[in-house]
Amino acid sequence: MRTAITDMFGIKHPIIQGGMHYVGFAELAAAVSNAGGLGIITGLTQRTPELLAKEIAKCQDMTDQPFGVNLTFLPAFTTPPYPEYIAAIRDGGIKIVETAGRSPEQYMPALKAAGIKVIHKCTSVRHSLKAERIGCDAVSVDGFECGGHPGEDDVPNMILLPRAADELKIPFVASGGMADARSLVAALAMGASGMNMGTRFIATKEAPVHDNVKQALVKATELDTRLIMRALRNTERVLDNAAVERLLEVEREKGASLKIADIHDVVAGVYPKVMIDGDMDAGAWSCGMVAGLIHDIPTVKELIDRIMEEAERLIRQRLLGFLDAPEQAALVA
């Protein structure tokens, strides 16, 4: 399948693996790229730029296909040395960067000077247009269904994607709620040039996370996520667990006076405990509503091949069938 995104990034299939904390290691990124998608290493999971450089080199040993690096600009307890991370990305020969969180505007000159194509993750049309204005090559449009930070507008993809198509001149991919061939075909129908999957890729054999995490996603339904930190205007969608319920109780008690310090222990330093140790009640961790569509743990190649084969069947048989069916012809006559 050829789209503006496959052409831009030199990939076979219009499927991108989004950056995910303590998930986007070389093993998963290489598996996605080898299967024809675009794998992404999560830059800030690596504690230093030097460690990121090593992870990039490791991934290059595992695949000869294009892959990228995610660099997220979010409010943090300590500000990462972003220029040094960008230098590691540049020196590693990476030509694709997924940015997220705050605007990457101040870092665009350095990224562009290195010949890097930038796809910025946005949760609104206005932010997507800003990304276009500052020189981003593409946008990942993130609907309210997504895991992680869905923004503050609460607009789902059935509205957000067509609105983005109406306004944007650069290509975009759909993110949030993406899990299978139906997701891809729907995204293409609404104007996207591909899709970005996060949560779905966690439930694959190559995802370097504890099996408890994968089993939790298979078990979960679309009703098992919660929104936290709304009062801080830093909303995050997470999988429900005992720690999240305690956090929500604190939020209810504090109301508008909530401070990040009130919930620090439940949101900071959680990912190693969950993703590596498999402690599912350690704290809040990002998960999309798409968990309700996850029923198995295939290899990355099995997942991507299945998506592309089923997408072709949906387009060629089901959708074209609506136009070619004798019943339709009779109705027209």
Side-chain angles (χ1 to χ4, degrees):
M1 183 182 289
R2 183 177 180 181
T3 73
I5 286 294
T6 62
D7 287 350
M8 178 178 292
F9 296 138
I11 56 179
K12 183 179 180 182
H13 305 307
I15 298 174
I16 297 174
Q17 167 242 318
M20 294 173 284
H21 204 32
Y22 275 86
V23 179
F25 292 100
E27 293 86 350
L28 181 58
V32 173
S33 291
N34 284 332
L38 180 66
I40 300 285
I41 290 173
T42 306
L44 296 187
T45 293
Q46 304 300 321
R47 295 187 308 279
T48 67
E50 293 77 19
L51 288 173
L52 175 58
K54 290 180 180 179
E55 196 71 12
I56 290 170
K58 180 179 178 181
C59 195
Q60 288 166 336
D61 287 340
M62 301 173 74
T63 184
D64 60 359
Q65 298 301 306
F67 66 92
V69 173
N70 166 279
L71 204 53
T72 298
F73 305 101
L74 281 173
F77 297 106
T78 56
T79 302
Y82 287 115
E84 287 85 352
Y85 276 99
I86 291 171
I89 292 167
R90 177 199 64 212
D91 295 346
I94 297 299
K95 295 302 180 183
I96 304 165
V97 166
E98 177 194 58
T99 55
R102 291 175 172 173
S103 171
E105 184 170 9
Q106 73 179 98
Y107 302 105
M108 288 297 290
L111 292 166
K112 287 306 186 178
I116 292 171
K117 292 191 181 300
V118 177
I119 177 168
H120 186 55
K121 187 171 285 188
C122 300
T123 59
S124 69
V125 173
R126 65 184 182 279
H127 292 149
S128 299
L129 289 170
K130 173 69 178 298
E132 183 176 76
R133 285 196 300 273
I134 67 175
C136 291
D137 300 277
V139 175
S140 179
V141 177
D142 229 11
F144 184 57
E145 307 93 326
C146 73
H149 298 276
E152 307 302 323
D153 294 340
D154 300 2
V155 181
N157 268 328
M158 285 293 287
I159 305 302
L160 189 58
L161 297 179
R163 283 288 298 118
D166 287 344
E167 300 285 347
L168 289 169
K169 296 181 179 64
I170 58 175
F172 69 93
V173 298
S175 184
M178 302 293 115
D180 55 26
R182 296 169 296 184
S183 310
L184 177 57
V185 173
L188 296 173
M190 288 187 282
S193 294
M195 69 177 179
N196 178 305
M197 295 197 304
T199 302
R200 185 60 186 95
F201 274 126
I202 302 177
T204 58
K205 294 192 186 305
E206 292 91 342
V209 303
H210 198 284
D211 191 58
N212 288 354
V213 179
K214 301 179 187 184
Q215 295 301 330
L217 293 177
V218 171
K219 181 181 177 181
T221 77
E222 66 276 14
L223 303 177
D224 291 326
T225 68
R226 298 290 182 268
L227 296 170
I228 63 171
M229 298 190 288
R230 303 222 80 178
L232 301 175
R233 294 192 64 78
N234 188 28
T235 301
E236 183 178 4
R237 186 180 298 281
V238 300
L239 190 67
D240 194 21
N241 60 35
V244 168
E245 288 299 325
R246 291 195 300 272
L247 182 156
L248 290 171
E249 183 60 32
V250 171
E251 291 191 346
R252 284 190 289 268
E253 292 174 358
K254 297 287 184 178
S257 66
L258 181 73
K259 302 289 188 295
I260 188 64
D262 298 326
I263 56 173
H264 178 275
D265 292 344
V266 189
V267 297
V270 168
Y271 280 83
K273 299 173 186 175
V274 175
M275 299 299 174
I276 297 174
D277 300 337
D279 181 356
M280 302 312 298
D281 289 321
W285 58 282
S286 296
C287 176
M289 296 176 78
V290 75
L293 298 176
I294 297 174
H295 308 301
D296 62 353
I297 305 172
T299 67
V300 166
K301 187 177 189 307
E302 287 169 346
L303 176 61
I304 290 180
D305 285 352
R306 182 169 73 197
I307 289 171
M308 297 312 302
E309 289 166 6
E310 291 180 1
E312 183 171 350
R313 281 199 299 272
L314 276 173
I315 295 168
R316 293 189 184 279
Q317 296 177 21
R318 187 165 195 268
L319 299 184
L320 286 178
F322 289 139
L323 299 178
D324 299 336
E327 295 84 356
Q328 290 295 103
L331 286 173
V332 172

